[in-house]
Amino acid sequence: MAQRIPLGLLVAIGAYVALRVLILATSFESVALPMYELYPMGTMAELLRQGIDFPVRWFYDNAAGQLLMGWLTVPVFGLFGSTYLALKLLPAALGLATLVLVWLVLDRHVSRRAAGLGALFVAVGPPTLAKYSLINSGNHFENLCFSSLALLLAYRWFADPAKPRAGLLAYACACGFAIFVFLGALIPVGILFGMHAGIRGLRRAARDLPVLAAGFVLGLAPLLVVNLATAGRGAGFLDAKFGGETSARGADVWARMGEFLGPALWRAGVFEDLGGVPRELLASLFLAAFVAAYAAAVPGVASSVLGCARRLAGPVPAPREELAAFERAKLAPFVIYLPLAALAYGISNFRLGGHATPVEIAGYRYYLPALLYAGILIAATADRWLAAGGTRRTAGIALLAATGIPCASSLGVPDWTCASTGVGSRLDGYNLAQLARALVSSRNAVPQSEIVARVRGLPEAARARTVLALGFNLGVARAETTVARGAPLALAEHLAPWPPEWHAALAQGLGHGLRFQARVRGAPPQAALDDARLVLTDDALLRDALERGLSRPNVGLPMPWETARILGENADVLEDRGSAARGFARGTRQTCRELVERGIPSDLAPALAVGRVAAAIAPD
């Protein structure tokens, strides 16, 4: 007879799925990070789906998980279409897998009640965790699934008296693959290997080493291949962040660690106001619960670490002693991770924060493992206190309340009025214009002749977007050394190396770039028009193309939550400059037409209104 799925797991799965469906349907903008999702993951998948030849190695930055997610997104696009909504189904599925893995770890090694609590935490945890389960970042959130799989397989092997070689190979392979997905997995994997040596003792660990190393190298092999193909780009990233002149070497490491463990940790959940309770109070409540659970686990973990240290050089432990050592150390990864992550941040040049609502969570992506491990510690500690009875039971209930109340703010992420639905299915899940980014990247060092050949070989629609984006990228780079410093930019000289039939599109891309630069420095779009006067050309068609590009700050259309602001700025320019901005008006008209064709309800009113203003200045 088939075994039933436990009720606690079913409830957690139901809560997980329901919350994600509501967020995607009613509050898509709260989980949209197009600059990190559409490229490379969505773009790579769409290229593969269309059969467009483009070297995969050019997409590689530092996290090979982005390549993996790109490949895995291909069948998702094939089944559901190449939409932004479809792009988010893969991280949602990996989040669900993480929930099940957490349940399995806690059910097998703590208790069924702890498993249910831990799974529910993954389902309705802090907004940072909940929102990131719908963001296809390729590494930060996706890493939780693969690291949790490595943890589950390692724990299964540690708890097996037979210590089968196949189990050892599987857990080592999972550890290597977790690092392939995300270099940050070095911390949890390192902890697991340290546990291995401490539990088994040096002699037995040495005998395990051939199988352990073989499995680890097997799992890590894709990363080795990618780095061989890119001249060690991953190693270069690590050096830049931790060892090079641009790292935090020589900075106040203790101060940075204090930031990571103090104010930034307090903000990391990015809680939202809940029923009149301010987010700051919710953050304090959750942090108090985390600290309480952490403090409760530290003595046992410290004792187990000391025992492991003594066992390293001691006699070969008996199998029963190994199992007892594992039982004492099973919470070690969740305790040890936080100080090691703080140390890694302290000696690096990573930055926290820097993003605004509704995607403020992006500034705290480095806390995703810490938040997950906080939930596991809280579940294990609450379970132990509840089982003890008396005042400890009361403390367990208080611990769950201090966790659950802040996490309930994730229920406020969906828009319960359903004012704007179906947005994600109307947006592309890729941005082929971003191919230009890979083509002009100094790391890829693509010769100009190859850039031209590859762009000419693209399908017509992709080629047109990519040429515009080349104009954007090349224009921004040139403008930073000329226009931004008040110096003129000779357009004919700037465009001369490129095919003449591309010049108008490259000039328009430069216009987009000037608008983008003005936006970055907080200046109004009128400043971009003033900057454009420093672009020198006698060609009326190129001048018109440049001015049309000034009508929006990117090659692609604005996201729906940006439309009203950008078109409002354009309306101010048209009112201010009037007939002196005919090219700008033509670009605005084109943008408004494309927005109406896209068909998102929130776009229609501003697009129709501003389109009429632009048409009055630059009629057909």
Side-chain angles (χ1 to χ4, degrees), residues 51-66:
I52 298 174
D53 178 39
F54 202 80
V56 171
R57 68 180 184 277
W58 288 353
F59 291 112
Y60 178 55
D61 182 10
N62 63 80
Q66 294 178 338

Side-chain angles (χ1 to χ4, degrees), residues 169 172-173 175-177 193 210-224:
L169 185 73
C173 185
C175 286
F177 197 78
F193 285 169
V211 177
L212 188 74
F216 182 70
V217 171
L218 181 64
L220 196 65
L223 183 63
L224 300 176

Side-chain angles (χ1 to χ4, degrees), residues 15 66 75 100 114 123 133 149 174 188 208 221 288 310 322 329 331 341 374 386-387 432 441 492 520 561 569 583 608:
Q66 294 178 338
V100 174
S133 66
L149 177 61
D208 297 335
R310 286 193 297 269
E322 283 190 27
L331 293 182
L386 290 171
L432 296 185
S441 168
V520 168
W561 44 94
E569 293 174 347
L608 292 171

